Amino acid sequence: MRPKHIKKIIYHVFVSGLAVLLLYPVFWLIASSFKETGQIFATAGNLIPKPFTFENYAQGWQGMGNYGFDTYIMNTFVYVLLVLLGHLISCSLIAFGFARLKFTGRGIWFAIMIMTLMLPSEVLMIPQYIIFAQLDWLNSLKPLVVPAYFGHPFFIFLLVQFIRTIPRELDEAAIIDGCNTFGIFTKIILPLLVPALATTSIFTFYWTWSNLLGPVLYLNSPGNYTVSMALNMFLSNETVSNWGAMFAMSVVSLIPVFIIFFIFQRYVVEGISTSGLKG
Amino acid sequence: MQTHMKQNLWGYLFISPFIIGFLAFTIVPMIASLYFSFTSYNLFNPPEWIGFANYIEMFTSDPRYIQSLKVTFIYVLAGVPLQLVSALFVAMLLNTASRAVGLYRTVYYLPSLIGGSVAVAIMWRNIFGDEGIINLALQGLGLDPVRWFGNPTAALWMLIFLAIWQFGSSMLIFLAGLKSIPQSYYEAASVDGGSYFQKFFHITLPMLSPVILFNTVMQTIGTFMTFVPAYVISKGTGGPLDGTLLYSLYLFKQGFEFFHMGYASAMAWVILVVIAVITSLIFYSSKFWVHYESEGGR
């Protein structure tokens, strides 16, 4: 063999070996979810479940108390869809305003928007809670969902960047055809914005699906719990007997994330590479 | 004049959701929290003005607060650089013309994608358990197993490893930056007999410095406020012995376990100022190490 080939083989062995090492905990989690609970730590070094069992999934799916895991999944989907709708509507409108319209104070508002991008939301946790408590919004989805209808700086920034690449000649042609500003937005920009809106949707899904802090603060009755809260509840009630069920439901909670990632990989990777979105 | 008015009207109409949301969910809460930070307030009785007492208590008579600051600084100072170095290392590894790179990129990114979830926190807690696979691997290497939950330092490092494990999104940003460095620079250096390390320090690092700045700032801000792993892995306690009591976890406990809303508001303001100062320092230092292509005077 020529030295060039040997170099190539070493490269691939190293890179794929490192990748397997990195993902090994995830393989271990999946394998353990198919083991009998008593076997999980007794055979921790072995990835092949012996015997292979679905019992953990059946048990975990029944959930805890009066609610099955399907309730938590439905709750989370409703939460995600309401936030998603909010982000799509508000962020596209706001981004169009910043990217295409000339108005007094645009620069200042855009700078403010960028500054809020760097403001950690945990800092606002206490006062927002107090305000939502005054509004009598506690123990409902409102505090989690309503703010989504007023834009999100990351996605506004992403969409602004995207709209700036759309040629202005298209707007001008539309004006000649008698379109007003709103018509330019709906007929010209919005159809071309679909790829960036896809990126927005995917990241909104990820962040909302796995959000824990917001639901912990605002959803108090077990019937409203999200998947993340249910898993956390599993862990805090952890007894020797239900590791298997907890691992199985952890795997279930990751399935939608993996499915969406593998279908829309291109948007995810490009979204991060071009805008620096944190995944 | 007429059209100018109309333009302003349209502009503000489109961005009005942002302005309303910014006032309602950012500005009003910030002003409110500044006020609460000077009060004693438990959510049930009206707030009582106590001046700077919360701020004074934090630094003079609350050892748990000092502990949470200490733990958070160690977490950030170890986690951010190690994560960025791993990200850059893998990005350089993947910056080749091989056809498998697309697949590798996906695989290395995955931990970043799922890292913030409760499922991964549960997984992490269990692989670091006394009989977990990390200890099995240590024993396999002939080392002593570590009681990760028995020792505050070990428990904190467990969280730092979790932060490092999620290097994927920084890696993708580095990779995009590496791809934008013109190949001709490296060719010119090769002609002049530049070694691999010379190319790295004189071409790659300077050309990548704006991306390094961006990643450093964003990761530092995000890492300072890490909540989920500490909360889930320690089952809400921040233990053992407050070893994983990250700042936002202690803030959460002060606010929603002890209902010290005033004290928690003061904590939020202190960390906001700390993050602002550190971010400004990073930006200020960037004058000395970030290289912008356009400044070359083209």
Side-chain angles (χ1 to χ4, degrees):
Chain A
M1 254 194 292
R2 299 215 310 267
K4 208 176 160 191
H5 284 126
I6 297 172
K7 235 177 143 179
K8 225 172 159 179
I9 290 169
I10 293 174
Y11 171 80
H12 286 290
V13 167
F14 180 72
V15 174
S16 49
L18 195 63
V20 169
L21 201 66
L22 196 72
L23 289 188
Y24 193 85
V26 181
F27 299 145
W28 182 83
L29 177 74
I30 296 170
S32 299
S33 73
F34 292 107
K35 288 179 179 175
E36 286 178 350
T37 291
Q39 294 288 304
I40 290 176
F41 287 100
T43 64
N46 196 341
L47 272 193
I48 314 289
K50 245 187 283 177
F52 190 95
T53 174
F54 284 104
E55 179 55 30
N56 296 326
Y57 285 85
Q59 215 190 336
W61 192 257
Q62 288 172 359
M64 299 183 92
N66 302 320
Y67 299 97
F69 211 78
D70 51 336
T71 308
Y72 305 134
I73 290 184
M74 275 311 294
N75 290 342
T76 318
F77 268 117
V78 170
Y79 166 39
V80 170
L81 284 178
L82 289 172
V83 171
L84 182 60
L85 193 68
H87 278 173
L88 288 179
I89 299 171
S90 62
C91 297
S92 56
L93 286 169
I94 298 164
F96 177 77
F98 277 129
R100 276 299 202 257
L101 304 177
K102 280 204 182 77
F103 54 89
T104 323
R106 181 175 71 169
I108 295 165
W109 282 110
F110 192 72
I112 290 174
M113 204 272 296
I114 296 294
M115 273 169 62
T116 62
L117 193 84
M118 304 204 336
L119 186 74
S121 59
E122 288 81 356
V123 167
L124 299 171
M125 169 167 85
I126 300 285
Q128 280 182 349
Y129 183 87
I130 295 170
I131 290 169
F132 290 135
Q134 303 285 338
L135 292 172
D136 212 7
W137 281 10
L138 298 188
N139 205 15
S140 80
L141 269 179
K142 278 184 245 168
L144 301 174
V145 164
V146 172
Y149 289 78
F150 296 89
H152 185 293
F154 262 121
F155 301 125
I156 298 171
F157 182 65
L158 176 86
L159 296 175
V160 165
Q161 297 288 76
F162 193 88
I163 293 173
R164 282 179 179 157
T165 65
I166 300 173
R168 277 188 183 270
E169 286 76 24
L170 293 177
D171 302 25
E172 282 150 21
I175 294 170
I176 294 167
D177 288 346
C179 261
N180 66 4
T181 307
F182 195 72
I184 296 172
F185 172 68
T186 53
K187 296 203 181 81
I188 308 290
I189 302 294
L190 215 46
L192 292 171
L193 203 56
V194 169
L197 291 175
T199 310
T200 303
S201 309
I202 294 163
F203 279 98
T204 299
F205 172 83
Y206 287 148
W207 293 345
T208 317
W209 180 263
S210 60
N211 188 7
L212 179 66
L213 184 52
V216 161
L217 290 182
Y218 296 112
L219 303 177
N220 308 118
S221 37
N224 296 333
Y225 275 15
T226 61
V227 169
S228 296
M229 290 176 83
L231 288 176
N232 190 45
M233 184 170 63
F234 260 113
L235 183 71
S236 33
N237 296 355
E238 184 184 50
T239 50
V240 184
S241 59
N242 63 7
W243 280 321
M246 182 172 74
F247 288 174
M249 291 307 103
S250 299
V251 172
V252 167
S253 80
L254 294 176
I255 290 173
V257 176
F258 285 139
I259 292 177
I260 290 190
F261 179 62
F262 285 112
I263 299 175
F264 298 105
Q265 237 195 82
R266 193 167 56 96
Y267 295 111
V268 178
V269 171
E270 272 164 25
I272 297 166
S273 308
T274 55
S275 69
L277 280 173
K278 196 184 168 308
Chain B
M1 266 296 114
Q2 195 70 27
T3 54
H4 192 67
M5 277 286 285
K6 221 172 140 187
Q7 272 184 338
N8 276 344
L9 200 67
W10 274 114
Y12 277 98
L13 197 65
F14 271 90
I15 71 159
S16 60
F18 171 73
I19 297 179
I20 297 167
F22 173 69
L23 294 176
F25 302 119
T26 305
I27 285 297
V28 170
M30 278 183 87
I31 294 169
S33 100
L34 189 61
Y35 165 70
F36 289 129
S37 78
F38 294 105
T39 67
S40 168
Y41 182 40
N42 66 3
L43 209 60
F44 309 108
N45 301 322
E48 182 197 337
W49 184 267
I50 53 168
F52 281 95
N54 285 328
Y55 292 95
I56 294 165
E57 187 186 338
M58 250 180 248
F59 292 101
T60 56
S61 52
D62 184 358
R64 289 192 90 186
Y65 177 79
I66 303 295
Q67 168 71 6
S68 82
L69 259 189
K70 194 182 108 191
V71 166
T72 308
F73 268 99
I74 296 174
Y75 181 70
V76 172
L77 285 176
V80 173
L82 289 174
Q83 196 220 50
L84 291 180
V85 168
S86 317
L88 181 58
F89 174 74
V90 173
M92 290 183 63
L93 213 54
L94 297 189
N95 187 29
T96 60
S98 169
R99 230 178 300 161
V101 161
L103 176 68
Y104 290 146
R105 198 171 59 168
T106 305
V107 170
Y108 282 107
Y109 172 65
L110 269 182
S112 215
L113 183 72
I114 58 175
S117 67
V118 176
V120 164
I122 288 177
M123 175 187 91
W124 213 253
R125 187 183 157 87
N126 283 287
I127 65 171
F128 280 90
D130 288 347
E131 302 162 320
I133 51 173
I134 298 293
N135 274 342
L136 283 182
L138 287 175
Q139 282 167 312
L141 293 169
L143 299 166
D144 286 333
V146 176
R147 293 201 56 228
W148 296 96
F149 293 94
N151 172 335
T153 312
L156 182 58
W157 273 95
M158 178 175 66
L159 290 188
I160 295 171
F161 290 136
L162 179 54
I164 301 169
W165 188 64
Q166 303 168 53
F167 64 81
S169 56
S170 313
M171 182 267 300
L172 287 181
I173 298 167
F174 277 138
L175 197 54
L178 287 171
K179 287 212 190 309
S180 68
I181 302 176
Q183 207 51 43
S184 56
Y185 289 15
Y186 291 106
E187 283 156 15
S190 295
V191 170
D192 292 342
S195 73
Y196 184 84
F197 286 101
Q198 282 173 323
K199 283 184 209 164
F200 177 74
F201 285 107
H202 294 290
I203 301 172
T204 311
L205 274 189
M207 292 297 287
L208 214 53
S209 53
V211 183
I212 297 174
L213 173 66
F214 175 84
N215 271 341
T216 308
V217 170
M218 295 316 279
Q219 291 299 340
T220 304
I221 296 174
T223 310
F224 253 111
M225 298 316 287
T226 304
F227 173 78
V228 170
Y231 178 71
V232 176
I233 291 177
S234 73
K235 295 190 181 181
T237 64
L241 296 174
D242 289 341
T244 61
L245 189 67
L246 292 185
Y247 202 92
S248 35
L249 179 56
Y250 190 47
L251 200 159
F252 175 87
K253 287 166 83 75
Q254 281 293 346
F256 301 105
E257 236 170 67
F258 314 139
F259 292 101
H260 296 160
M261 292 294 175
Y263 193 73
S265 299
M267 281 184 68
W269 272 95
V270 171
I271 199 67
L272 188 64
V273 170
V274 168
I275 292 177
V277 167
I278 290 177
T279 312
S280 321
L281 283 177
I282 298 174
F283 274 118
Y284 177 76
S285 78
S286 73
K287 275 201 297 197
F288 305 103
W289 59 273
V290 173
H291 169 91
Y292 288 107
E293 190 65 343
S294 50
E295 279 174 16
R298 275 201 237 170

